[in-house]
Amino acid sequence: MKFTLSWLKDHLDTTASLGEITDTLTRLGLEVDGVEDPAAELAPFTIAYVKSAVQHPNADRLRVCIVDTGRGEVQVVCGAPNARTGMKGVFAPAGSYIPGTKVDLKAGTIRGEASNGMLVSERELGLSDEHDGIIDLPEDAPLGASFAAWRGLDDPVIEIGLTPDRADCAGIRGIARDLAAAGLGMLRPLDETPVAGSFKTDLTVDLDFPPDAAAACPMFAARVFRGVKNGPSPAWLQARLKAIGLRPISVLVDITNFFTFDRNRPLHVFDQAKVKGGLKLRLAKGGEALAALNDKTYTLGAGATVIEDDTGPLSLGGIMGGASTGVSDETTEVILEAALFDPVRTAMTGRALGINSDARYRFERGVDPAAVIAGMEQATRMILELCGGEASQLVVAGREPDWRRTLTLRPARVESLGGLDVPRDRQVAILSGLGFGVTDGADGLIQAAVPSWRGDVQGEADLVEEVLRVNGYDAIPAVPLPKLTSLTQPALSPSQKARELVRRTLAARGLDEAVTWSFMDGRDAALFGFQNTGLKLLNPIASDLDTMRPSVLPNLIRAAGRNAARGLPDAALFEIGPAYRDATETGQAMVAAVVRAGGSGPRHWV
């Protein structure tokens, strides 16, 4: 999960430094995988003014430039065709590291003229592949200022390793909420005021699922927009998406991507002019085809959640939209979708089709069931602001599932389970900061109403974990494990000792130890006389690893063959590992196998 510091501060009112934020994230269990700070790499580069650019006396394609850096004048030899008197560019002083070319810039003499720095291109700064000329800045660019700050490249990008249980932190607001609960600022409020639709649409939405599959999509909300103008997104939106590795497409699509990462609220837009009739959600029959937005066509298996119109499937619910109703620059009427999709069904469909999308990533972990309408309203305001037009009244099918639950926390359990005595008031403050509805129970117990976005919190131990992680995992003391007996126990079992003895004996005889798969090709097993179909794997990792090995020898022979094919015909290999007779608990044996091939040693002249 990636986000920029400025994007985080849209949700978190804080004065904390970048270092304090990253340290706190790791203490919260949101481990920081990396921080990209372009400002640090681009710190030496400043905005400069070219006072003069004259022809180099000894080179036709070079110019000698006198550059005002805002701190003095320096002479630079430049080969860019667009270098000219009176322009503003980006200056790199001698001693700078040029990230695009990965060289350290040194002062020197070029064809008899001193050069004490350089004027750089976008490729030399690593900003793009543009290298036909140096960067040409507008006249009002401030002389001597940091180029990174002026260009808006001083926004660090933070990447965290998100565990599957923390679906709420697949949105930047969830991360900001955790930091606020840890005392690193205040969570900014969101505007969730409903948008009054200016017209009533005739769009219909039908949830057509059998009773035992109603959870495939318990709630679906749609809104029609007309008179919108699609096209490139504003610069601020494009910059945010680019910073986290997304390619801006158009303002309508970029808005849906923004809310996917900003609020963990995946959305989708259909070009209404391409939709024939109403929308119906159902389970795929199996064998239906869908041309998706990633320019691939998928054959849908039975049970996938599809959204269709009168012509057939338009979209794969919770995973990816279809190309037939994708928006373009000519789109003026759109349907905005906000829905809930079953995590398990979404994951199974995505795996079966091999589709990894940002929507699937979030739906299979579980999105906030109470944020369907709120996400719709917030996205509506942004569409009206950036695209114009007018919005219809909401069309809602299904209802919000029952997610409400209240858990009881015994304050003493924090110490007994976590090994740290956290005062009761501190426990209450932490849970309240995370959005739990906390009330006092009998006998000092804490009653915590779980918020809708925390589907992972199901019991008292989860509440203990919340208290411990926000208080700081680093505050938990390191305690050695208790001694359960006064007598030391042997480190190795008899079977482990026997295995080590055999390993040393075979190695002493000049054999090299190999470690091969515990699987093998069923055809190889048949060649060795093994026909036990009970050893066949239902879900092999590869077609040639479809059987649990009944013998180690075939794998060793294969290894010897691969070595011979690469110029090493003299093989002396052994392996100690399991072989499988059948699929029962007692059907596994630990065996040692040896293969020798070729000569026993190198040839000698004697």
Side-chain angles (χ1 to χ4, degrees):
M1 175 65 188
K2 283 186 175 183
F3 56 94
T4 65
L5 183 61
S6 65
W7 198 342
L8 175 69
K9 288 186 175 181
D10 279 355
H11 294 278
L12 183 68
D13 186 0
T14 182
T15 58
S17 67
L18 175 63
E20 290 174 318
I21 289 173
T22 56
D23 289 346
T24 304
L25 285 170
T26 298
R27 285 200 301 271
L28 284 165
L30 305 174
E31 186 174 0
V32 175
D33 287 342
V35 177
E36 300 173 18
D37 191 357
E41 193 171 51
L42 299 179
F45 302 94
T46 57
I47 297 172
Y49 175 71
V50 181
K51 293 189 67 174
S52 68
V54 299
Q55 183 67 45
H56 192 294
N58 303 316
D60 293 339
R61 297 186 178 183
L62 299 179
R63 289 179 173 82
V64 179
C65 303
I66 302 300
V67 178
D68 182 0
T69 68
R71 298 173 180 82
E73 295 182 0
V74 295
Q75 180 171 296
V76 172
V77 176
C78 181
N82 65 331
R84 66 186 186 279
T85 300
M87 73 174 293
K88 283 187 176 180
V90 180
F91 173 70
S96 305
Y97 174 74
I98 310 300
T101 56
K102 297 180 173 55
V103 299
D104 293 310
L105 183 63
K106 298 179 180 179
T109 301
I110 302 177
R111 305 290 292 272
E113 294 290 336
S115 184
N116 298 298
M118 70 183 295
L119 295 166
V120 296
S121 66
E122 288 197 357
R123 187 171 74 171
E124 287 162 333
L125 289 186
L127 300 180
S128 72
D129 291 330
E130 178 60 45
H131 62 286
D132 291 337
I134 57 177
I135 297 174
D136 193 350
L137 301 180
E139 293 182 2
D140 59 354
L143 180 66
S146 164
F147 171 70
W150 178 82
R151 183 74 172 268
L153 300 172
D154 56 346
D155 194 4
V157 179
I158 304 168
E159 182 175 7
I160 61 173
L162 199 60
T163 53
D165 59 317
R166 292 307 309 277
D168 60 307
C169 288
I172 297 170
R173 184 159 185 85
I175 298 168
R177 184 185 296 109
D178 266 19
L179 289 170
L184 225 60
M186 298 291 292
L187 191 65
R188 299 182 189 272
L190 290 177
D191 183 4
E192 297 183 356
T193 307
V195 176
S198 58
F199 66 95
K200 186 174 181 179
T201 177
D202 57 0
L203 176 70
T204 60
V205 176
D206 180 26
L207 302 182
D208 186 17
F209 298 105
D212 60 344
C217 180
M219 185 176 184
F220 188 100
R223 172 169 264 157
V224 175
F225 295 79
R226 62 190 184 193
V228 299
K229 181 176 177 56
N230 199 21
S233 300
W236 68 267
L237 182 52
Q238 291 195 38
R240 290 205 165 165
L241 297 180
K242 288 178 181 178
I244 61 174
L246 294 181
R247 178 176 61 89
I249 298 173
S250 68
V251 61
L252 285 169
V253 176
D254 293 349
I255 287 173
T256 65
N257 286 333
F258 173 84
F259 278 92
T260 296
F261 284 84
D262 188 70
R263 316 280 165 86
N264 188 33
R265 179 60 263 174
L267 304 167
H268 183 65
V269 285
F270 302 87
D271 187 328
Q272 191 190 23
K274 301 174 182 177
V275 176
K276 308 304 178 184
L279 298 178
K280 183 170 77 171
L281 285 83
R282 61 170 174 82
L283 299 183
K285 303 168 186 175
E288 297 170 283
L290 174 69
L293 286 170
N294 61 357
D295 297 327
K296 295 182 180 180
T297 299
Y298 297 95
T299 300
L300 307 182
T305 303
V306 296
I307 305 170
E308 69 171 8
D309 65 358
D310 293 346
T311 65
L314 304 177
S315 177
L316 196 54
I319 298 178
M320 186 169 290
S324 64
T325 53
V327 297
S328 65
D329 289 348
E330 289 72 39
T331 298
T332 59
E333 297 183 352
V334 295
I335 302 170
L336 176 65
E337 163 211 319
L340 292 176
F341 294 102
D342 176 46
V344 174
R345 193 178 298 271
T346 300
M348 292 178 64
T349 301
R351 290 173 189 169
L353 297 175
I355 303 176
N356 291 309
S357 66
D358 293 323
R360 174 197 160 184
Y361 179 88
R362 285 156 178 81
F363 277 119
E364 70 183 8
R365 283 160 174 79
V367 301
D368 185 353
V372 174
I373 302 301
M376 174 68 76
E377 301 292 6
Q378 292 156 7
T380 295
R381 278 192 292 274
M382 184 175 288
I383 290 175
L384 295 177
E385 177 184 349
L386 301 182
C387 304
E390 55 180 338
S392 75
Q393 298 174 6
L394 275 177
V395 179
V396 180
R399 59 185 179 84
E400 182 182 307
D402 185 13
W403 52 266
R404 292 167 179 79
R405 60 193 177 280
T406 299
L407 304 176
T408 300
L409 173 62
R410 293 165 286 177
R413 292 295 281 168
V414 173
E415 183 175 9
S416 63
L417 288 179
L420 184 66
D421 182 15
V422 180
R424 185 183 186 279
D425 291 346
R426 172 70 173 149
Q427 297 181 33
V428 170
I430 288 173
L431 294 174
S432 298
L434 291 172
F436 289 81
V438 179
T439 56
D440 292 331
D443 301 323
L445 300 179
I446 298 173
Q447 299 295 323
V450 182
S452 58
W453 56 83
R454 291 306 302 271
D456 59 308
V457 178
Q458 297 290 335
E460 185 182 29
D462 296 324
L463 296 176
V464 171
E465 180 185 2
E466 293 303 297
V467 171
L468 289 173
R469 72 177 186 86
V470 174
N471 190 70
Y473 283 133
D474 55 336
I476 301 174
V479 179
L481 292 173
K483 291 184 178 180
L484 301 178
T485 175
S486 58
L487 297 177
T488 58
Q489 299 293 321
L492 297 177
S493 66
S495 64
Q496 289 174 319
K497 290 180 179 179
R499 199 178 311 165
E500 188 62 27
L501 176 61
V502 173
R503 179 178 286 109
R504 289 181 177 274
T505 300
L506 294 175
R509 292 178 176 269
L511 294 119
D512 296 317
E513 184 175 12
V515 179
T516 67
W517 291 103
S518 292
F519 322 117
M520 64 185 302
D521 193 328
R523 293 168 294 183
D524 288 349
L527 292 175
F528 279 76
F530 298 104
Q531 300 289 345
N532 188 346
T533 58
L535 295 178
K536 284 284 187 180
L537 298 173
L538 296 177
N539 187 25
I541 60 175
S543 60
D544 58 347
L545 296 172
D546 61 353
T547 301
M548 300 300 294
R549 64 184 186 190
S551 171
V552 182
L553 279 175
N555 284 359
L556 283 182
I557 293 172
R558 285 280 188 188
R562 285 192 295 270
N563 285 343
R566 288 162 177 78
L568 297 171
D570 301 334
L573 304 174
F574 79 92
E575 180 174 2
I576 300 173
Y580 303 89
R581 295 186 298 271
D582 52 52
T584 65
E585 294 182 3
T586 59
Q588 175 179 326
M590 187 62 62
V591 301
V594 175
V595 167
R596 283 189 183 273
S600 60
R603 304 178 76 179
H604 196 270
W605 66 273
V606 176

